[in-house]
Amino acid sequence: MLPNILLITWHDAGRWFGCYGNENVHTPNVDALAAQGCRFENTVSACAICSPSRAAIVTGRFCQDNGVMFLTNTVNNNRLHVTERHLARRLKEDFGYRTALFGVQHECAHEHVSEIINPDDRFGTDPWPEDAHISAENFERWLAGRAGEDRPFYAQIGTLECHMNRYYHGRRDLPTDDEHGVHVPPYLKDSPALRDTVRVLQGQLRQGDDAVGRILGALRDQGLERDTIVCMCSDHGVGLPRAKTTCYDPGTAVTWIVRYPAAIPAGVTVPAMTRQVDVLPTLFELAGLPVPPEVQGVSFAGHARGQRSDEPVAEAFSHMVENTRSIRTKRWKLIRHFRPGRPGSQSKGMEVVDAARHQDEQTTPPHLELYDLAGDPNEFADLAADPAHAATRAELDGRLWDFLLEHNDFLVNEPVNTDWQAETRRQLEAHCARTGRAAPVLD
């Protein structure tokens, strides 16, 4: 019999969990989930905002190909291409799964849920519940109501916890937590404003973790732990300056945990670099299902089982709408700016360590930034202008251009209206000339 699949998604949580080394947060249920299964240590988000990163997870395809490059609830009416298939639809239509959606999803607009996700059951999906305990309670009831059903299920449960926009917009009734102290990221200056914000963030994490405990408890109470693949992902980094909406690691380093007692031993950690497009093929292989040929990700099922330790992914690409594109290897990060301003989340009096270079929206960044993550994990020392690293910069920039061209990223077709765009276009054409590739023709 096919296993059940439970996908838990977190808003804006990055890797802010105890099992990823954050000693100040209170996340015992997530930490236990990781200890009971596999924790991927080095997963990179497809995008630094919600909808594109989630679309990569549920399609196993790059954002440039699945169609979701922006938020899906914007005036752009951004959505998955009609030829794309959501994970829930594949499982339902191809393998007979009963599907259910609880709480937050952000890979499509509310009006497109029936078409794109097409769940058999849905609970609290419009509007999204602010407390994940509502979704946990709905899941408990739904799971109890299907007792004895032999049809496997796919349940997708999303939390609104850690989506800090509510806090920045003036809400002061959100839970706080500083029981284990307050985590001050090394890239941000310690300040009362930062500590107040992080207390709320940690409170959101604690509330969401409590709900995860209820969800996992419901599986246990129904005797479904062994035969259910539990997959937990965050979409991108936390809503702090120099994290969410940026292609620095705090914006693109994400959580990926999988527990499946029938096939995954407890306590597996995977240091290999992984991407969000790798989630779907991994779940399919773990479930014994054929991976669809159009999926662009790589299955890490063997790694999750503790049977493989190789590095099948050499590079991960991330983006932030029309602003930036990046390529990351295990050691290097190269960021290309397509606009002169640096995007960043709400600051509210918070400053990054190098405010002049990273915080001031009026500061014009270079077209390229280069970081050696082995010696500079916080991405403080930009090496793009260092002649000693010119070869590395050129190689990574070439690989980034190749990806954008091969996947027809809309920015390679962007009209030239500013001096910044003219210089970007010149660099693109120079790359095409070096590689014998025809540059996109602009209207």
Side-chain angles (χ1 to χ4, degrees), residues 8-13 50 54 73 102-106 110 124-125 127-136 157-167 171 174-175 200-201 203-205 207-209 211-212 215 233 235-236 239 244:
I8 302 172
T9 61
W10 280 77
H11 248 307
D12 300 21
C50 305
R54 291 165 179 264
N73 57 343
F102 300 84
V104 175
Q105 64 77 31
H106 208 337
H110 293 307
T125 62
W128 296 329
E130 293 198 346
D131 188 337
H133 283 276
I134 295 173
S135 294
I157 307 176
T159 78
L160 197 59
E161 276 78 4
C162 300
H163 200 260
M164 295 291 286
N165 295 45
R166 296 168 292 163
Y167 175 73
R171 289 277 300 277
L174 299 173
V200 174
L201 176 56
Q204 293 284 280
L205 285 160
Q207 176 173 283
D209 181 81
V212 168
I215 293 165
C233 301
D235 48 12
H236 51 72
K244 178 182 178 180

Side-chain angles (χ1 to χ4, degrees), residues 213-430:
R214 289 185 63 177
I215 293 165
L216 299 178
L219 286 177
R220 182 180 60 250
D221 293 344
Q222 296 297 327
L224 297 172
E225 276 187 319
R226 180 171 177 78
D227 298 320
T228 300
I229 301 173
V230 179
C231 177
M232 194 193 90
C233 301
S234 59
D235 48 12
H236 51 72
V238 295
L240 295 174
R242 207 171 180 267
K244 178 182 178 180
T245 74
T246 80
C247 285
Y248 301 115
D249 267 13
T252 60
V254 290
T255 295
W256 181 17
I257 296 168
V258 182
R259 186 189 73 182
Y260 183 24
I264 296 176
V268 175
T269 59
V270 177
M273 187 170 66
T274 55
R275 308 157 301 176
Q276 289 177 323
V277 293
D278 301 324
V279 172
L280 187 148
T282 300
L283 292 179
F284 268 57
E285 185 175 341
L286 286 171
L289 303 173
V291 177
E294 66 272 20
V295 165
Q296 295 165 318
V298 174
S299 172
F300 279 81
H303 295 74
R305 298 188 190 103
Q307 299 167 345
R308 292 178 56 181
S309 59
D310 57 320
E311 295 265 358
V313 171
E315 57 202 11
F317 299 94
S318 301
H319 82 275
M320 175 56 196
V321 293
E322 72 274 15
N323 300 306
T324 54
R325 301 291 184 267
S326 69
I327 177 173
R328 191 194 195 283
T329 68
K330 286 294 289 289
R331 177 176 176 179
W332 296 97
K333 164 79 69 64
L334 181 124
I335 301 172
R336 172 170 282 279
H337 296 279
F338 286 80
R339 295 290 185 278
R342 295 179 188 273
S345 289
Q346 299 93 334
S347 60
K348 300 297 182 182
M350 295 176 283
E351 292 186 1
V352 299
V353 171
D354 186 349
R357 191 167 69 87
H358 290 291
Q359 176 91 351
D360 186 353
E361 293 293 335
Q362 303 306 312
T363 298
T364 300
H367 281 263
L368 295 175
E369 296 179 67
L370 176 68
Y371 299 98
D372 183 351
L373 302 174
D376 180 27
N378 293 305
E379 298 159 294
F380 287 156
D382 181 5
L383 303 174
D386 186 341
H389 299 287
T392 299
R393 181 192 65 217
E395 179 199 353
L396 292 173
D397 192 34
R399 288 159 67 180
L400 178 58
W401 277 128
D402 284 342
F403 176 83
L404 300 181
L405 288 162
E406 289 166 8
H407 296 273
N408 197 31
D409 191 296
F410 68 88
L411 284 178
V412 302
N413 304 297
E414 186 173 51
V416 175
N417 296 314
T418 68
D419 291 343
W420 188 277
Q421 291 171 320
E423 174 58 21
T424 300
R425 177 69 184 186
R426 185 196 68 76
Q427 294 179 22
L428 168 59
E429 291 177 346

